[in-house]
């Protein structure tokens, strides 16, 4: 058993709660680094508090699958999700995010997890 394993291999993201965040992820095979075609896949994004890893997600929403240009042409290997201000305005601290991908046959792939650090929004009432 490898005791050094960390599931947090996706990029760490920092932002102030209540700001609009468009998160974009390009998918590649880990071995040969070729783009991973998501054209027949669906994906979801989930966020949970770091200190309550066994709880329910605070945010869970579908991700958009789109195309990118690379040296070999157009490939559908981009995942996007937009975190809206109302979804994060009251969140402060360290969180774990996870992307879950499901292919057309129902197979599920979870490309590890990442950390999101959300700074306290000191003006939560704006623009209300």
């Amino acid at each position: 058993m490898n005791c050094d394993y960390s599931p947090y291999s996706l990029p760490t993201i920092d932002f102030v709660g209540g700001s609009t965040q468009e998160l974009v992820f390009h998918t590649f095979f880990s071995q040969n680094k070729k783009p991973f075609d998501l054209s027949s896949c669906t994906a979801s994004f989930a966020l949970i508090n770091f200190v309550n890893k066994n709880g329910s997600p605070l945010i869970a929403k579908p991700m958009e699958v789109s195309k990118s240009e690379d040296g070999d042409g157009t490939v559908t290997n981009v995942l996007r999700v937009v975190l809206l201000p109302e979804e994060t305005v009251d969140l402060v601290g360290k969180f774990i995010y996870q992307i879950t991908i499901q292919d057309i046959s129902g197979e599920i792939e979870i490309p590890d997890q990442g950390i999101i650090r959300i700074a306290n929004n000191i003006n939560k009432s704006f623009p209300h």
Side-chain angles (χ1 to χ4, degrees):
M1 179 173 183
N2 182 355
C3 294
D4 294 332
Y5 173 73
S6 172
Y8 311 120
S9 64
L10 295 178
T12 298
I13 301 166
D14 296 280
F15 64 92
V16 175
S19 60
T20 301
Q21 294 296 312
E22 180 181 21
L23 306 179
V24 180
F25 303 91
H26 294 259
T27 60
F28 297 91
F29 287 98
S30 60
Q31 298 297 321
N32 61 15
K33 305 299 182 210
K34 290 199 180 268
F36 184 85
D37 187 359
L38 298 166
S39 56
S40 62
C41 298
T42 58
S44 70
F45 175 91
L47 181 83
I48 193 165
N49 195 304
F50 190 85
V51 297
N52 189 16
K53 297 175 189 166
N54 297 320
S56 297
L58 301 170
I59 298 171
K61 58 194 307 184
M63 298 184 83
E64 175 189 326
V65 176
S66 60
K67 297 179 180 182
S68 71
E69 295 287 333
D70 76 352
D72 299 326
T74 302
V75 181
T76 306
N77 75 319
V78 178
L79 293 173
R80 282 188 165 72
V81 67
V82 176
L83 300 180
L84 301 172
E86 59 269 21
E87 293 173 314
T88 64
V89 69
D90 294 319
L91 299 180
V92 178
K94 188 174 181 180
F95 299 85
I96 301 167
Y97 72 92
Q98 176 178 300
I99 295 170
T100 304
I101 301 168
Q102 183 174 24
D103 70 15
I104 197 164
S105 69
E107 293 287 319
I108 300 286
E109 178 68 30
I110 300 172
D112 285 342
Q113 297 174 334
I115 300 294
I116 290 183
R117 294 185 296 241
I118 303 177
N120 183 39
N121 181 330
I122 63 171
N123 193 8
K124 290 181 174 78
S125 64
F126 181 80
H128 300 105

